[in-house]
Amino acid sequence: PRGLRSGATLGAAAKRFQHGETLPQGTGALYGDAAAMEPPYGMMVEGGGETTLYYAIPTDSGTAALVLRFMGGVLVSMGISYL
């Protein structure tokens, strides 16, 4: 529904979701209390040559998350799972 497609850039994908005025350099919170992993929150994690964006929300069954993986700044996979 937000128009995400494989091949989207990190910047273009991040613009489709809530985050602060700028993206963190490296690993950091996009919004909410990502350090405590208390949903709702958004978090960016860098390492191993890739960047992953996590967008977590509370549900009746636990915390659900949209997980977006980027390599070279390009979206290579996305999925929804429980954390």
Side-chain angles (χ1 to χ4, degrees), residues 2-14 16-17 49-55 66-79:
R2 294 194 187 223
L4 287 175
R5 305 262 188 288
S6 292
T9 65
L10 174 61
R16 298 179 187 280
F17 297 93
E50 66 181 56
T51 302
T52 305
L53 299 181
Y54 295 91
Y55 295 99
L66 171 64
V67 181
L68 307 173
R69 283 187 49 232
F70 298 82
M71 296 183 80
V74 175
L75 181 61
V76 295
S77 71
M78 61 181 136

Side-chain angles (χ1 to χ4, degrees), residues 2-3 13 24 27 45 58-59 62 67:
R2 294 194 187 223
T27 298
V45 177
T59 71
V67 181

Side-chain angles (χ1 to χ4, degrees), residues 13-44:
K15 284 181 183 178
R16 298 179 187 280
F17 297 93
Q18 180 179 346
H19 60 80
E21 290 185 29
T22 60
L23 291 177
Q25 295 296 315
T27 298
L30 299 172
Y31 69 91
D33 194 353
M37 298 185 81
E38 187 66 37
Y41 67 86
M43 183 168 76
M44 183 167 87

